[in-house]
Amino acid sequence: MATDYDAPRKTDDELNEDSIEELKARRADQSSGKVDEDETEAAEGFELPGADLSNEELSVRVLPRQADEFTCSSCFLVHHRSQLADESTASRLVCTECAA
């Protein structure tokens, strides 16, 4: 970009005024771009291909906790005893992932 050295130079006051006006214009431009849109309405309009599961039935066989499993008191997932972080604290069972 070429610079015109013969053009009159602006003082610091003029530069500050210009920058304030530019900032005000930017702020007005940024706020005008915001749109209030309800996320639930927008999500209802989206339909993914192959996502029609209205005729599908899901059946999952749920097994009770086995003797060699425990429920982590932090993440509430059922883990095998081998994933127990510290066996000495029997009052609070925590898995190795939560203990890390």
Side-chain angles (χ1 to χ4, degrees):
M1 182 170 146
T3 304
D4 183 11
Y5 292 104
D6 294 330
R9 296 186 182 180
K10 294 183 179 182
T11 64
D12 289 338
D13 294 333
E14 290 174 341
L15 289 173
N16 288 338
E17 289 175 8
D18 288 344
S19 63
I20 290 173
E21 295 302 321
E22 288 177 15
L23 289 174
K24 288 179 182 177
R26 285 186 202 155
R27 183 172 37 175
D29 290 343
Q30 288 176 354
S31 63
S32 67
K34 294 181 182 176
V35 176
D36 292 333
E37 183 177 351
D38 188 15
E39 293 178 7
T40 54
E41 283 183 23
E44 289 174 359
F46 293 125
E47 187 171 330
L48 299 175
D52 183 19
L53 301 175
S54 58
N55 295 331
E56 295 292 324
E57 286 188 25
L58 300 177
S59 60
V60 177
R61 185 172 169 222
V62 178
L63 298 174
R65 187 178 62 200
Q66 304 297 309
D68 60 344
E69 296 176 333
F70 72 99
T71 303
C72 176
S73 60
S74 181
C75 64
F76 302 105
L77 295 175
V78 177
H79 296 281
H80 189 265
R81 283 273 178 205
S82 63
Q83 294 180 335
L84 185 60
D86 188 13
E87 293 185 27
S88 64
T89 58
S91 62
R92 184 155 194 250
L93 302 173
V94 180
C95 68
T96 54
E97 293 178 11
C98 292

